[in-house]
Amino acid sequence: MHPALSVIFFTTASGAGYGLLALVGMLFIGNVPVSREAALVAIVLGLGLVCFGLLSSTFHLGKPERSWRAFSQWRTSWLSREGVASVISFVPSLWLLWLLFDSTVIPDTVIPLAAAMTFMSVITVYCTAMIYRSLPTIHQWHNALTVPCYTIFALMSGAVIFNAILSVMGSVDLNVTALTCLLCMWGLILKRRYWSFIDTTRHSATPESATGLGQLGENTGKVSQFEAPHSSENYLLKEMGFVVARNHALKLRKLASILGFWLPFLFCGLSIVSNHNMTGTLLSVLAVVSLCIGMVIERWLFFAQARHVVTLYYGADAS
C-alpha cells in the first residue's frame, strides 16, 4: 500500500497521545502517586498529540470538508467507530483536566474520570487497529498481531513520553521507568513476530483461484499474465501496488528496531543508573526523540509492505 505521510503521522501521533492518556488514567486508578503538575502536563500533551493526529489524517481525504459524514456509519465501519470513540474520549479527558486545575480536588473523585479516560483511549486505539485488521484482502493486516501491536505501541509511546515528563519535572517514578522498559521489550517481541508472520505466510488468493482455472489441475490450470491490464499507471497501482525492495525493507526493519525499541529501552534503563540527575533527564528526552523516529519508520513499513490482492491481476506474486 502507498504509505501516505498523513496517515503515518495520524496513527503514530494519536496512538502516542491515547497511550499517554491511558497510562495517566491507569496510574490514578492504581493509586500510584503522581504529581498533579505532571498529570496536567501529560493530559495536555496527550490531547495535543491526539488533535495533531486527527487533523493530519484529514489531509489524506479527497474532500476533507465531508469528513463529518464518516461519523454516521458507526454501525458498520471501524473508521466511523474510531471517529465517534475519539470524540467521546475528549469528554472524560477534558473533565479530568479541569478538575486537576483545582489544587483542592479530592484524589478519589478523579478515579471514575480516569477510568473512563483510560477505557475510551484504549477503545479508540482498538478501533484504529481494526480499520486495518478487518480487511481480509490485505494479508499483512488481516492477522491476529495487528491489534496487539497497535495497542502495545500506543502504551509504549505514552510511557516513554510520560517518563520523560516526570524526569524533566524532577518527579521520577521508578515504577513508570520499569514499566516503560518492559513495554519497549514487549513491543519489540510483538513486532518481530509480526515481521516473521508476513515473511513466512501467504494470502490464500491466487490468480488461479481468482479465475477458477486452478481446479483444472496443477499444470493445466496454471495462470500467467499475457499482457498488462493497463498501458499506464492507474489509481490501483499507485495506492495498492506500492512495492518496497526486500533488502531496503530489511534495513528499515533494523533501523526501526534500534530507534523505536532498543534505544528507548537502553536510554530509560540508563536513566535509572544515573540516579535521574541531569544526565538521566537528557537520556529520557533522547528516548522520546529516538522513539518518534523509530515509530514513523515502523509505521511506514506497516503500510509499504502491505499488498492488496487486486495486485494479482497486475502480475504480482501472491503475498
Side-chain angles (χ1 to χ4, degrees), residues 107-184:
D108 291 343
T109 62
V110 305
I111 292 181
L113 288 175
M117 181 175 70
T118 297
F119 177 76
M120 289 310 305
S121 296
V122 173
I123 287 297
T124 305
V125 173
Y126 176 81
C127 290
T128 303
M130 283 302 297
I131 294 173
Y132 308 104
R133 171 68 174 85
S134 62
L135 300 175
T137 51
I138 302 178
H139 178 63
Q140 291 79 5
W141 295 349
H142 189 67
N143 59 75
L145 291 169
T146 298
V147 173
C149 281
Y150 260 78
T151 306
I152 295 301
F153 294 168
L155 292 174
M156 179 188 74
S157 301
V160 172
I161 295 173
F162 189 59
N163 183 69
I165 292 174
L166 292 177
S167 184
V168 170
M169 300 185 69
S171 55
V172 177
D173 190 308
L174 293 180
N175 293 322
V176 174
T177 306
L179 176 62
T180 302
C181 294
L182 176 63
L183 288 172
C184 287

Side-chain angles (χ1 to χ4, degrees), residues 178-196:
L179 176 62
T180 302
C181 294
L182 176 63
L183 288 172
C184 287
M185 287 297 96
W186 192 359
L188 179 61
I189 292 172
L190 282 177
K191 196 60 195 181
R192 285 188 170 178
R193 288 187 60 188
Y194 170 83
W195 283 331
S196 176

Side-chain angles (χ1 to χ4, degrees), residues 24 28 34-44 97 100 162 169:
V24 173
F28 275 116
V34 179
S35 67
R36 185 174 61 88
E37 293 77 11
L40 282 171
V41 172
I43 295 176
V44 170
L97 184 65
L100 289 176
F162 189 59
M169 300 185 69

Side-chain angles (χ1 to χ4, degrees), residues 38-307:
L40 282 171
V41 172
I43 295 176
V44 170
L45 182 57
L47 291 174
L49 287 170
V50 169
C51 291
F52 171 77
L54 294 175
L55 288 175
S56 66
S57 67
T58 61
F59 289 98
H60 189 62
L61 302 176
K63 294 186 178 297
E65 68 274 8
R66 299 180 183 175
S67 58
W68 62 271
R69 295 183 179 179
F71 292 92
S72 63
Q73 307 300 315
W74 59 270
R75 294 181 181 85
T76 57
S77 170
W78 282 106
L79 177 63
S80 181
R81 292 166 186 165
E82 176 202 37
V84 173
S86 65
V87 171
I88 295 176
S89 68
F90 275 87
V91 177
S93 301
L94 291 174
W95 194 347
L96 180 59
L97 184 65
W98 178 70
L99 285 179
L100 289 176
F101 271 112
D102 182 3
S103 58
T104 62
V105 67
I106 302 175
D108 291 343
T109 62
V110 305
I111 292 181
L113 288 175
M117 181 175 70
T118 297
F119 177 76
M120 289 310 305
S121 296
V122 173
I123 287 297
T124 305
V125 173
Y126 176 81
C127 290
T128 303
M130 283 302 297
I131 294 173
Y132 308 104
R133 171 68 174 85
S134 62
L135 300 175
T137 51
I138 302 178
H139 178 63
Q140 291 79 5
W141 295 349
H142 189 67
N143 59 75
L145 291 169
T146 298
V147 173
C149 281
Y150 260 78
T151 306
I152 295 301
F153 294 168
L155 292 174
M156 179 188 74
S157 301
V160 172
I161 295 173
F162 189 59
N163 183 69
I165 292 174
L166 292 177
S167 184
V168 170
M169 300 185 69
S171 55
V172 177
D173 190 308
L174 293 180
N175 293 322
V176 174
T177 306
L179 176 62
T180 302
C181 294
L182 176 63
L183 288 172
C184 287
M185 287 297 96
W186 192 359
L188 179 61
I189 292 172
L190 282 177
K191 196 60 195 181
R192 285 188 170 178
R193 288 187 60 188
Y194 170 83
W195 283 331
S196 176
F197 172 82
I198 66 174
D199 287 342
T200 57
T201 58
R202 299 282 182 176
H203 198 286
S204 59
T206 62
E208 290 75 25
S209 66
T211 58
L213 297 175
Q215 60 186 349
L216 298 178
E218 182 178 351
N219 297 322
T220 308
K222 186 65 177 178
V223 175
S224 59
Q225 188 181 45
F226 174 72
E227 189 175 5
H230 301 278
S231 59
S232 61
E233 187 180 53
N234 61 3
Y235 176 80
L236 289 178
L237 285 176
K238 180 181 178 181
E239 292 295 324
M240 301 182 182
F242 185 88
V243 178
V244 56
R246 179 171 176 79
N247 290 336
H248 186 53
L250 291 176
K251 292 179 182 178
L252 288 176
R253 286 182 183 183
K254 292 179 181 179
L255 198 58
S257 297
I258 294 172
L259 294 175
F261 302 97
W262 279 115
L263 285 183
F265 170 79
L266 291 175
F267 286 151
C268 291
L270 290 174
S271 68
I272 299 177
V273 179
S274 64
N275 295 323
H276 296 289
N277 52 22
M278 185 61 69
T279 302
T281 300
L282 178 60
L283 289 171
S284 299
V285 174
L286 286 176
V288 175
V289 175
S290 178
L291 171 85
C292 292
I293 299 173
M295 285 294 99
V296 168
I297 296 173
E298 179 277 327
R299 201 52 47 87
W300 188 91
L301 278 172
F302 177 76
F303 289 100
Q305 291 194 291
R307 184 175 297 182

